[in-house]
Amino acid sequence: MSYSYKDLGLVNTREMFKEAMEGKYAIPAYNFNNLEQIQAIITACVKTKSPVILQVSKGAREYANATILRHMAMGAVEFAEELGYKVPIALHLDHGDTFEVCKSCVDSGFSSVMIDGSHHSFEENIELTKKVVEYAHKYDVTVEGELGVLAGIEDDVVAEKSNYTNPDEVEEFVQKTGVDSLAISIGTSHGAYKFKIKEGEEIPPLRFDILEECERRLPGFPIVLHGASSVMPKYVDAINKYGGKLDGAVGIPEEQLRKAAASAVCKINIDSDGRLAFTAKVRETLWNKPDEFDPRKYLGPARSELVELYKHKCEKVLGSAGRA
Ligand code: G3H
Ligand code: 13P
Ligand code: ZN
């Protein structure tokens, strides 16, 4: 049984990116795998009138179940309307690593997929990405490819150190594969430990020179930034204060993300910040109420914290608020 995202009320990313490029802002791509996260994302994006990409990793899909996810996405569309504003919502596969997983997502109602062939050779990446594009485009599903490897963990793929995107390769890659957007590596990385910096050292700036060169080679083409969490100190501190242990967690300063959002970067991926905010609030609540055992009583406050976090991102970082 196949499902079209169009029947679920979702949209692909084409129009979203076109408007983000013209308006010089970025669409938030927030990862989710549970009820509270999707409720918070939709609430924040409706409140701020922001278009949104609901993003699901391969691991999240296994965790939540593909059928349940499809119904959650459908529910998200109706929930937004119930809250009073119909924001454009895309359902996107994050870091698909095979043709099969991308096809399975297209067939089960995703409106956009990422095929991450960045750990393959350039030629193999082109071949794999092209195959996904040919399939996805038959159903008007948009495709994100990737060139260059981010440091840290890309799902199952562990990269020791960052391998920046080579701007000399981007035109050929986009032209030969037909992708709709391209993720590039300019110094961001996944997770909560993005840089190893010593006391008093500055966070190294992103490689805007590489981004600018990619923009020059691909005028008007949507670029995607992964690993873009800021790892906000207030959440790291709260986690440590209430029994957790996160040493040396550090992320991308918001100022740099604002600069990226105003460029050809049309999609900014944020997962870790949501995880940190959620965990911080759950820890705080359970610390203060050790006798509490109703999950709604600690997941509810965590969900409210997520709403505030996502609103902040849309309004103050990505510039997507008011664009829906
Ligand atoms: O880029 C990776 C995302 O943060 C998803 O992470 O594979 O743990 O769900 P995950
Ligand atoms: P963060 O780990 O910085 O949130 O990045 C998430 C991401 O890139 C998902 O693809
Ligand atoms: Zn990523």
Side-chain angles (χ1 to χ4, degrees), residues 31-33 55-61 94-95 150 153-156 190-191 226-227 269-272 275:
N31 288 66
F32 82 99
N33 53 60
Q55 189 157 266
V56 176
S57 70
K58 203 178 94 183
R61 196 161 178 256
D94 192 23
H95 294 285
L150 273 69
I153 297 167
E154 296 214 12
D155 233 38
D156 295 341
H190 291 104
H226 282 247
N269 286 9
I270 295 167
D271 188 0
S272 297
R275 296 178 181 196

Side-chain angles (χ1 to χ4, degrees), residues 6 34 52 68 80 84 94 140 158 181 183 265 272 309 321:
K6 293 176 185 173
N34 71 23
V52 65
I68 291 181
D94 192 23
D140 205 17
V158 181
S181 61
V265 170
S272 297
L309 169 76

Side-chain angles (χ1 to χ4, degrees), residues 112-288:
S112 176
V113 293
M114 174 189 194
I115 175 68
D116 180 358
S118 62
H119 45 284
H120 293 301
S121 70
F122 183 61
E123 289 72 24
E124 284 165 354
N125 189 358
I126 289 181
E127 197 182 322
L128 176 61
T129 306
K130 186 169 184 273
K131 190 173 170 193
V132 171
V133 170
E134 280 169 0
Y135 186 78
H137 279 186
K138 278 196 247 172
Y139 303 94
D140 205 17
V141 168
T142 39
V143 180
E144 175 184 327
E146 178 166 333
L147 269 181
V149 180
L150 273 69
I153 297 167
E154 296 214 12
D155 233 38
D156 295 341
V157 188
V158 181
E160 275 301 307
K161 65 195 235 333
S162 189
N163 179 355
Y164 297 126
T165 302
N166 177 359
D168 288 341
E169 293 181 340
V170 298
E171 284 160 286
E172 185 182 346
F173 185 81
V174 166
Q175 190 247 319
K176 287 196 172 158
T177 59
V179 279
D180 302 282
S181 61
L182 181 68
I184 63 169
S185 171
I186 58 166
T188 61
S189 69
H190 291 104
Y193 301 90
K194 301 197 188 296
F195 307 101
K196 280 200 179 73
I197 49 167
K198 299 194 193 85
E199 190 82 26
E201 272 180 8
E202 293 279 308
I203 293 172
L206 298 179
R207 292 290 303 272
F208 282 97
D209 56 322
I210 298 177
L211 171 60
E212 280 158 24
E213 192 51 30
C214 292
E215 280 188 80
R216 203 179 65 74
R217 308 284 183 112
L218 297 170
F221 189 79
I223 301 292
V224 176
L225 208 57
H226 282 247
S229 279
S230 292
V231 188
M232 294 139 106
K234 66 173 177 177
Y235 295 130
V236 175
D237 293 348
I239 288 173
N240 288 335
K241 181 173 171 191
Y242 298 113
K245 192 172 181 335
L246 297 178
D247 287 332
V250 56
I252 314 294
E254 290 187 347
E255 201 38 55
Q256 298 206 29
L257 296 170
R258 279 185 208 105
K259 185 173 168 188
S263 74
V265 170
C266 292
K267 170 175 180 270
I268 291 192
N269 286 9
I270 295 167
D271 188 0
S272 297
D273 278 346
R275 296 178 181 196
L276 291 165
F278 202 82
T279 301
K281 205 63 188 180
V282 168
R283 279 194 176 279
E284 182 190 335
T285 310
L286 291 176
W287 182 275
N288 289 327

